[in-house]
Amino acid sequence: MTGMVKPKKDISQILAREGYKSIRYTKRKNRISRFLFSIFDFKKLLKDVGKTKEDTLLVQYPLYSRWGTKQLFGALRNKKVIKVAFIHDIEALRANKENKKLVDGELEVLNKFDTLIVHNSAMKRWLVDNGIKCKMIELEIFDYLNNKPLVQTAIGKPIIFAGNLGKAPFLEKLYIDKKIILFGVNQKGKYPDNIYYKGAKDPDDLPLFLDGSFGLVWDGSKVDTNSGILGEYTRYNNPHKVSLYLSSGLPVIVWSEAAIAKFVKENNVGIVVDSLKEIDEILKAVTISEYNLMTENAQNVAEKLRTGFFTKQAVKQLNI
């Protein structure tokens, strides 16, 4: 009932349609067996890759561990392979930012790839500033395969928030007039009276329930800024829930300092705010025609997200 699996699953489906062959690695359950045999497992799995001609191997990064990634590189030694990392998360930016040893270790691994497909310009800039030398391609936004009907939006409807509610303690302090509907795991016991919990849904079914005006993207414990490790991470990453909302034609509300705010503003698919305390006043100032234009733009972006446009656009640049 979380969105952890869907991003990688969607990318695999999109690339399969583009002629890529999916190679699924199942790690051994026993840690000692993994340590002893991972390189042999990878060699067996990749025995036909780069054997007779140069192949492109696209790795959905991160794998299960940095050590496992090094074993993968070992299995590819002496093969004709262009190694591409499709970045989902960078722990050096998220959880390990203050640990120089762990940051340097991950950057060393990333530099072994020929190309990185990164989330956006902010992530690319951080990687360049911290010593990444390989080619980088900006994704812009994650695609979200979604065959459910588009949301019938209206500015008077509630705001929707979907995600791991255990990582969203700000909701317990969000005393605003606008009604908010929550979906997700790890519900807290008590929320303000304007907030209503509607249960956890499968990521593929969730679009059926997004009956609202905007989708909210926020992290941390504070309502006046994104905060904590995950809040700081939004300065660099593309939250997958933005793609969830937009793939349903639902405009978004995002933090003004988040990396994804650039995409939201340039495509006029929502509003950016410095603080959630501003929401009531900002929404009062949005006209019906302005909101309808945001919705129309969100529906146009939805068509791209549903067909894998951004993933396909990124991989087309691999040979440029």
Side-chain angles (χ1 to χ4, degrees):
M1 294 300 177
T2 71
M4 293 180 65
V5 175
K6 186 167 174 59
K8 290 187 176 183
K9 185 176 73 172
D10 280 358
I11 289 169
S12 291
Q13 289 184 29
I14 293 163
L15 294 180
R17 296 171 189 169
E18 294 297 295
Y20 279 73
K21 179 182 177 182
S22 182
I23 300 175
R24 181 179 294 276
Y25 171 73
T26 303
K27 70 176 182 180
R28 293 172 182 257
K29 294 182 179 179
N30 183 279
R31 187 175 181 182
I32 295 175
S33 295
R34 285 203 303 272
F35 181 79
L36 294 174
F37 300 113
S38 282
I39 191 167
F40 301 103
D41 292 341
F42 278 126
K43 283 183 176 180
K44 182 179 179 181
L45 199 64
L46 302 169
K47 65 181 187 303
D48 295 326
V49 174
K51 189 174 183 179
T52 58
K53 61 180 178 62
E54 187 174 69
D55 283 328
T56 297
L57 179 68
L58 188 146
V59 177
Q60 298 213 53
Y61 180 93
L63 291 180
Y64 63 91
S65 73
R66 189 185 309 155
W67 181 85
T69 309
K70 290 180 178 180
Q71 298 305 295
L72 171 65
F73 288 138
L76 293 172
R77 192 172 290 119
N78 301 322
K79 284 178 171 284
K80 302 173 183 177
V81 178
I82 299 170
K83 300 181 289 295
V84 180
F86 198 118
I87 304 293
H88 288 273
D89 282 305
I90 297 177
E91 292 305 315
L93 263 173
R94 183 170 62 173
N96 302 330
K97 200 174 178 183
E98 304 305 318
N99 188 320
K100 187 177 186 305
K101 182 178 179 181
L102 292 177
V103 169
D104 289 346
E106 184 165 19
L107 292 172
E108 179 186 355
V109 168
L110 289 172
N111 256 329
K112 292 181 183 296
F113 287 96
D114 299 297
T115 302
L116 306 179
I117 297 176
V118 300
H119 292 197
N120 50 55
S121 59
M123 182 176 282
K124 179 180 178 180
R125 185 166 56 251
W126 186 89
L127 289 168
V128 169
D129 290 346
N130 285 274
I132 293 297
K133 306 295 185 185
C134 59
K135 175 181 175 179
M136 283 184 271
I137 296 167
E138 295 173 31
L139 180 64
E140 290 191 78
I141 188 171
F142 279 98
D143 291 305
Y144 197 103
L145 299 185
N146 177 358
N147 60 6
K148 304 299 187 290
L150 292 174
V151 173
Q152 298 299 308
T153 59
I155 196 167
K157 289 185 175 182
I159 291 172
I160 304 295
F161 182 85
N164 184 341
L165 303 179
K167 297 179 180 180
F170 73 89
L171 290 165
E172 299 166 63
K173 309 169 187 176
L174 190 51
Y175 294 94
I176 59 175
D177 294 332
K178 188 70 171 176
K179 182 178 178 180
I180 298 175
I181 302 296
L182 304 184
F183 296 98
V185 296
N186 298 320
Q187 172 207 10
K188 296 296 183 179
K190 179 66 175 175
Y191 293 112
D193 291 342
N194 63 305
I195 297 179
Y196 301 83
Y197 177 64
K198 297 293 185 179
K201 310 295 180 185
D202 182 278
D204 287 317
D205 295 331
L206 184 54
L208 289 170
F209 302 91
L210 304 181
D211 185 23
S213 56
F214 289 92
L216 175 61
V217 183
W218 204 263
D219 277 289
S221 61
K222 299 179 180 179
V223 297
D224 54 357
T225 185
N226 274 13
S227 62
I229 292 172
L230 295 177
E232 281 297 304
Y233 190 44
T234 61
R235 294 180 184 274
Y236 306 100
N237 80 319
N238 290 345
H240 200 242
K241 64 168 57 97
V242 175
S243 302
L244 160 69
Y245 299 141
L246 291 178
S247 73
S248 295
L250 187 66
V252 295
I253 297 173
V254 303
W255 184 39
S256 59
E257 296 182 39
I260 200 65
K262 178 183 177 183
F263 182 92
V264 173
K265 288 186 287 189
E266 288 180 350
N267 292 276
N268 190 22
V269 291
I271 59 178
V272 300
V273 299
D274 297 324
S275 166
L276 294 180
K277 296 175 183 177
E278 304 171 350
I279 284 181
D280 286 332
E281 291 303 314
I282 288 175
L283 292 184
K284 286 176 185 176
V286 176
T287 66
I288 296 297
S289 60
E290 288 172 338
Y291 179 76
N292 289 343
L293 180 57
M294 286 183 209
T295 299
E296 182 181 335
N297 292 336
Q299 291 173 346
N300 291 336
V301 171
E303 181 62 28
K304 292 182 177 181
L305 299 177
R306 288 166 170 244
T307 57
F309 173 85
F310 293 95
T311 301
K312 291 186 284 189
Q313 179 177 255
V315 297
K316 283 177 182 176
Q317 298 180 55
L318 292 176
N319 297 319
I320 296 175

